[in-house]
Amino acid sequence: QVQLVESGGGSVQSGGSLRLSCAASKYTYNIYYMGWFRQAPGKEREGVATISPGGVGIGYADSVKGRFTISKDNAKNTLYLQMNSLKPEDTAMYYCAAGRVALVLRPWAYDYWGQGTQVTVSS
């Protein structure tokens, strides 16, 4: 069973930065494709970024390209999402997820989910 625990959320002003972390059980990042998703109240869960087990394949939603960076440290079993130039529309609960489908930013492609960490961006 894969366990994922997110951290690093918080409240920032527009234009600010946050770095989210996702800690996982050992070897998770060597095996699974990892993704970051977000869900705002009343909206569907949307994919933000994804990364392959080897770290070479990376994909982003158009809404975050150039502002967010996904990375991971397999030795530390930790996934990251660096978020810069944050906007109020980035406000959401952010989740990390693990799956076996290559570089897909759709919730159906992921089998394991964390509990989420809240990001709030004020204008």
Side-chain angles (χ1 to χ4, degrees):
Q1 183 74 10
V2 174
Q3 293 186 331
L4 304 170
V5 180
E6 303 94 335
S7 62
S11 297
V12 296
Q13 290 191 329
S14 182
S17 298
L18 282 174
R19 187 176 80 158
L20 305 183
S21 299
C22 176
S25 44
K26 200 173 183 181
Y27 302 126
T28 297
Y29 300 129
N30 294 322
I31 298 171
Y32 292 92
Y33 289 86
M34 301 301 300
W36 284 102
F37 288 77
R38 64 188 181 185
Q39 189 167 18
K43 295 188 176 181
E44 293 185 354
R45 190 167 297 189
E46 64 169 341
V48 174
T50 181
I51 189 168
S52 64
V56 176
I58 289 176
Y60 294 99
D62 288 343
S63 58
V64 305
K65 280 181 182 177
R67 300 188 299 122
F68 289 12
T69 302
I70 189 172
S71 63
K72 61 177 181 167
D73 187 332
N74 286 359
K76 295 182 179 179
N77 301 310
T78 304
L79 177 73
Y80 302 101
L81 184 68
Q82 178 67 43
M83 306 186 295
N84 298 327
S85 303
L86 282 162
K87 305 174 181 180
E89 50 264 44
D90 294 318
T91 295
M93 185 71 79
Y94 282 72
Y95 301 89
C96 69
R100 293 186 179 273
V101 181
L103 299 177
V104 174
L105 284 173
R106 295 290 184 270
W108 59 260
Y110 295 81
D111 303 308
Y112 303 99
W113 294 84
Q115 294 299 306
T117 185
Q118 178 67 38
V119 172
T120 302
V121 185
S122 58
S123 58

